[in-house]
Amino acid sequence: MSSPPLASGPQGPHALRPLLETVLDALAEGRQARGGPLPAGGPQAVAARVRATVGDALPHKGDPDALRHLVRMLAEGAADPADPLCAAHLHCPPLAVATAADLAASALNPSLDSWDQAPAASELEALVTDALAAEIYSGPRASDRAPSTVDTGSSAPETNEPHKSTALVTTGGTESNQLALLLAREAHSGTRLVCGANAHHSLTRAAWLLGLPEPVVVPAPAGTLDPAALDEALTELPGPRGSLLVAATAGTTDAGLIDPLTDIADLCAAHGARLHIDAAYGGGLLFSERHHHRLHGIERAHTVTLDLHKLGWQPAAAGLLAVRDPHELRALHHHADYLNADDDTEAGLPDLLGRSPRTTRRPDILKIAVTLKTLGRDGLGALVDQVCAHAQELARLIQAHPGFELYDPPTISTVLFRPAEASDDTVAAIRRTLLTEGRAVLGRAALDGQLWLKATLLNPHTRPGDLAALLKLVEGHTPR
């Protein structure tokens, strides 16, 4: 019996080519069988189809057609983020060029835990992460930079000073936020997290995982962190300068709202607190000439979370943690003689273990690098502008419809709405019915004592007619 072919090596491309045709055909067949944004029938129907296709998951004898059958099954049972009516979550349709690059990364399979496993990938990661960190920490662009009033002796330096910053590649916002808390804990003893009631759940969970005290949660009455309440909390909390870590949010999960970053940075400077900004969602606004001003103040953070599998159109995972002071990464240093022996490091082989708490790491930087070079800042910015414009258009349609209520004009690309005078039970039932029928995928958010339908628009190919069709579906499923 001959050995199955490998994806790399001299015969790798030859072996992959027919398999790619199989995968592409199976994706098309599965999409056609699904017929909409989501498989119809709900969890039980999907589970039955999966079980029928898989059968014995570990058979004695293999099936040469397994690739086609399983890919087709997965496509038929997928929630397709490229469908305009799939708009529930921060779940983007990946760019074709990024997905193609991800195939190359999988075929070559570098592991970024030692240079000898990833010679080119390790250098590429250093170049691209430094460039993205510079984008975050460069401060307001010259056209709209205001004079700074920040005390230069504070914990947040003047924004017009050069920064030697970097970024770590992560699996997403959850890992980035946990790393941010870890670096804060190692930089200052007695670290305590202070965050808004609107903060992502991964922050409070990270505090628990790291053994930090119970976080101080500051009110966010309008969906964003209240600076007056933050000032009061920082004034009352004990501890040495630098021991308090304030986490602000640039793009909340529920409504896409952005905390007043400049005000928060000023308060952190005045109180000697450390600042982390979770911009997993909103960080992509940096690429847009039209919208980047919404992130003023982000450059004053010690650490920043960014996810390019949201407003970056990358296949997951594509997370980053930008770090203003690279010296803080010494806290991640780890020695394993077979990976970063001292004499190898002294001889010039890069030590990669200090760039992540993970050991084996795939080269997620390749798809990011290919996207940045292919589209450039202008191309990515145009995609950001398109989805933000779609959100504004959907909001206008909702406001013009007497049967709907809009929560608020969108800040990024998230729109919250509900049928006018409907109960929360009705709103929840509408969403579940659309899911079960496979007609549309909408999220849900509880704000201001009410349940809202959530449309998160991340598909730049969405058309105005698609938005109208989404509202028509909701209207048609609303009891009268």
Side-chain angles (χ1 to χ4, degrees):
M1 179 178 177
S2 61
S3 298
L6 302 176
S8 58
Q11 299 303 315
H14 176 74
L16 277 173
R17 190 165 283 110
L19 296 177
L20 293 182
E21 290 295 328
T22 298
V23 167
L24 295 175
D25 288 345
L27 287 172
E29 292 168 6
R31 170 67 181 88
Q32 185 175 9
R34 177 172 19 93
L38 194 78
Q44 290 184 344
V46 172
R49 286 193 291 269
V50 171
R51 290 177 179 276
T53 302
V54 173
D56 184 355
L58 187 60
H60 286 287
K61 292 186 177 180
D63 177 3
D65 292 324
L67 178 64
R68 174 183 290 275
H69 294 325
L70 292 182
V71 172
R72 184 189 187 282
M73 174 272 294
L74 191 69
E76 182 180 356
D80 185 1
D83 191 300
L85 301 183
C86 186
H89 302 287
L90 289 165
H91 178 199
C92 73
L95 293 166
V97 70
T99 305
D102 219 21
L103 168 65
S106 294
L108 294 168
N109 207 29
S111 179
L112 281 135
D113 51 327
S114 66
W115 183 88
D116 58 354
Q117 297 177 80
S122 60
E123 182 64 18
L124 181 66
E125 182 178 86
L127 286 171
V128 176
T129 53
D130 285 355
L132 288 169
E135 185 73 12
I136 290 171
Y137 287 111
S138 61
R141 298 178 189 177
S143 60
D144 53 18
R145 182 180 291 125
S148 175
T149 59
V150 180
D151 176 7
T152 56
S154 72
S155 62
E158 293 280 358
T159 59
N160 58 1
E161 292 179 359
H163 296 289
K164 293 182 179 179
S165 52
T166 190
L168 305 179
V169 177
T170 70
T171 54
T174 295
E175 183 186 353
S176 294
N177 286 339
Q178 184 174 343
L179 272 174
L181 266 65
L182 174 62
L183 294 179
R185 187 192 71 179
E186 296 305 296
H188 298 283
S189 60
T191 292
R192 189 168 189 184
L193 173 65
V194 181
C195 61
N198 61 336
H200 193 263
H201 62 83
S202 62
L203 284 160
T204 53
R205 194 177 192 197
W208 167 69
L209 285 168
L210 292 168
L212 297 177
E214 186 75 16
V216 176
V217 179
V218 176
T224 56
L225 196 156
D226 179 11
L230 176 62
D231 189 18
E232 182 179 350
L234 294 177
T235 301
E236 294 178 354
L237 284 169
R241 190 175 182 85
S243 63
L244 297 178
L245 170 64
V246 173
T249 306
T252 59
T253 304
D254 277 346
L257 303 178
I258 298 174
D259 287 339
L261 303 181
T262 300
D263 291 343
I264 293 170
D266 287 344
L267 288 171
C268 288
H271 289 276
R274 185 182 176 95
L275 176 60
H276 170 66
I277 295 178
D278 179 1
Y281 177 13
L285 297 178
L286 286 167
F287 302 119
S288 167
E289 286 294 330
R290 185 176 303 169
H291 297 288
H292 69 84
H293 68 277
R294 298 179 184 275
L295 297 180
H296 283 182
I298 196 171
E299 71 283 353
R300 294 167 61 188
H302 292 78
T303 49
V304 177
T305 288
L306 175 67
D307 274 4
L308 292 178
H309 52 244
K310 295 182 173 68
L311 283 184
W313 294 277
Q314 298 299 293
L320 295 134
L321 177 71
V323 181
R324 193 175 70 197
D325 181 2
H327 292 100
E328 293 189 348
L329 298 184
R330 287 178 293 191
L332 298 180
H333 175 74
H334 182 71
H335 181 79
D337 194 65
Y338 76 104
L339 294 174
N340 60 346
D342 290 339
D343 56 320
D344 278 350
T345 303
E346 292 169 2
L349 295 182
D351 179 359
L352 305 183
L353 282 186
R355 294 191 60 83
S356 175
R358 291 175 285 146
T359 303
T360 300
R361 291 194 297 120
R362 72 188 309 273
D364 288 316
I365 200 64
L366 177 62
K367 60 196 174 193
I368 297 172
V370 167
T371 300
L372 296 177
K373 288 290 288 183
T374 302
L375 274 69
R377 183 188 285 106
D378 290 348
L380 273 172
L383 296 181
V384 172
D385 292 347
Q386 286 172 35
V387 296
C388 290
H390 295 334
Q392 296 291 337
E393 175 61 21
L394 179 57
R396 285 192 289 269
L397 291 174
I398 292 167
Q399 286 179 313
H401 195 300
F404 290 118
E405 178 184 355
L406 178 69
Y407 174 74
D408 235 355
T411 299
I412 308 178
S413 66
T414 298
V415 182
L416 301 184
F417 69 102
R418 52 184 282 128
E421 301 180 2
S423 68
D424 285 356
D425 287 344
T426 297
V427 172
I430 292 169
R431 174 180 175 272
R432 286 193 293 269
T433 300
L434 291 172
L435 289 176
T436 302
E437 294 178 354
R439 306 288 296 280
V441 190
L442 287 168
R444 54 185 288 164
L447 288 171
D448 293 348
Q450 289 185 302
L451 186 64
W452 301 82
L453 294 172
K454 177 173 69 171
T456 308
L457 304 178
L458 294 181
N459 186 347
H461 292 181
T462 297
R463 300 163 298 179
D466 299 320
L467 302 175
L470 182 63
L471 293 183
K472 190 172 182 179
L473 278 172
V474 175
E475 182 182 22
H477 286 75
T478 301
R480 300 186 182 279

